[in-house]
Amino acid sequence: MAQVQLTVNGRAISRDVEPRTLLVHLLRDALGLTGTHVGCDTSQCGACTVHMDGRGVKSCTVLAMQADGSTVTTIEGLSTDGSHALQRAFKEEHGLQCGFCTPGMIMSAADLLARNANPTEHEIREALEGNLCRCTGYHNIVKAVQTAARTMQNA
Amino acid sequence: MYPAQFQYHRATSVQHALDLMAQHGDDAKVLAGGHSLLPVMKLRFATPAHLIDIGRVSGLSGISESGGTIVIGATTRHADVASSALIKAKAPLLAEVAGHIGDPLIRNMGTIGGSVAHADPSADLPAAMMALGATMELTGKGGSRQVSADQFFVDVFQTALGSTELLTAIRIPASSGACAYEKNPDPASGYAIVGIAVQLTTSGGKVSSARVAMTGLGPKPMRLAAVEAALAAGADAASAAAKAADGIAFIDDARGNASYKANLARVYTKRAIARAMK
């Protein structure tokens, strides 16, 4: 076992883990943060996207030990009641159907908007290249990100 | 999907990493961003008993310029390479290729040294390394040696790296914007079925020399010498690219038969040269 210490959604965490523990399993199984999903488990679908030290990463392809000392934000860290502008926009624009990919989509979109507050449609589609949705056809996801960007700029 | 069990070691310096590598030999693998290694460990294609994490070794990450040469630390992430003002200005081919790897989330973790040392025959960076005339700095107990990209890539997933050597930096001579990378990605994985990297040197509006490298269609990246010679002799894109498959023994496999691959090589070479010449 090895000890991992990190900050998750503003809370200091310390856990003993097997070195092979993936960040997504630390979040879901040890910390109960099940908003981060495991989809493909092969670094393709992005359902497991979280922010590590301010950057979007696929937490199924990061060892918990690699996150030692880092600051991690999950979908639960955006808001506890779904009130973040991105969460509201995905609801208003019908940017989800089954919802499985949504936490990852929102975390990738939040990463984009943190670096580029007013992205073009093309930039949004490029930023979400690592996130797969099998329901929506992406159109309403892009609209949701555009809506959230406007809301956040006017806030 | 967990990898098989291993012991985790966090290297605190290059020397510490080398000590750990000497101690554990072939039972150890070096971990940087993990985006080549962890997927194969999860699939149990790789089951190292020891992982040596160099991700926190200070001095192994960063981009600088020294006397017309760009120096990129091995653990510099693809996203930082692709967005670097210095790389965009002085090695624009590398900025383009680094921005093509995987997707934005993968580029936030994957490192240039990790990808190059992994030497996946379908990876994008090896072709860029060859087209740019990059040099790999390999550091061992006795010091560092410099190995050209042409000598570095040996075979499928095999490089000139010794088992107790670490790839510590990549050096690239400053180059112009007369360059392009044209890729046909596998629709599922995004890896290159074929990728052609072209770097031209021009004087007075004419091509004086060219480096053209191909990834994806063979066991390792390769220079297209006949194409380079044709370009240096003043050939246009179409006639130079017609030589892209000359002297190469393509093999039939699940990705296509040999004649299809030869055609892919010619088509993507033509596209890359044409764009580099614009």
Side-chain angles (χ1 to χ4, degrees), chain A residues 18-20 22 25 41 43-44 49 55-58 60-61 63 65-66 68 108 111 126-127 129-131, chain B residues 1-3 5-6 8 10 31-33 35 38-39 42 44 51 56 77 80 102-106 108-109 188:
Chain A
E18 273 191 84
R20 63 176 174 164
L22 299 164
H25 292 305
D41 215 354
S43 337
Q44 316 244 353
T49 303
R55 287 176 160 193
V57 301
K58 293 180 170 178
C60 82
T61 312
L63 294 173
M65 293 307 293
Q66 287 178 283
D68 188 39
S108 278
D111 185 13
E126 290 222 311
E129 194 188 346
N131 295 81
Chain B
M1 203 159 63
Y2 277 52
Q5 288 191 342
F6 55 83
Y8 174 89
R10 178 172 297 138
L31 174 74
H35 274 48
L38 292 176
K42 288 171 71 177
R44 311 284 171 115
L51 269 195
R56 305 288 177 94
R77 301 194 192 279
D80 295 331
D103 60 53
L105 303 167
I106 285 170
N108 280 342
M109 278 301 285

Side-chain angles (χ1 to χ4, degrees), chain B residues 190-218:
Chain B
Y191 274 92
I193 294 173
V194 63
I196 304 286
V198 173
Q199 180 67 57
L200 305 176
T201 305
T202 55
S203 63
K206 290 174 123 180
V207 175
S208 55
S209 68
R211 294 178 69 99
V212 180
M214 178 171 74
T215 190
L217 291 178

Side-chain angles (χ1 to χ4, degrees), chain B residues 39-126:
Chain B
V40 297
M41 286 177 64
K42 288 171 71 177
L43 295 169
R44 311 284 171 115
F45 293 150
T47 55
H50 299 269
L51 269 195
I52 301 167
D53 185 356
I54 60 167
R56 305 288 177 94
V57 174
S58 63
L60 270 187
S61 175
I63 300 165
S64 60
E65 184 184 15
S66 162
T69 299
I70 316 298
V71 184
I72 306 166
T75 61
T76 308
R77 301 194 192 279
H78 302 312
D80 295 331
V81 173
S83 65
S84 158
L86 181 60
I87 300 280
K88 283 182 187 173
K90 300 283 182 74
L93 176 62
L94 180 60
E96 181 186 348
V97 172
H100 265 88
I101 297 167
D103 60 53
L105 303 167
I106 285 170
R107 295 195 287 273
N108 280 342
M109 278 301 285
T111 68
I112 188 169
S115 175
V116 167
H118 188 62
D120 190 308
S122 298
D124 301 303
L125 279 174

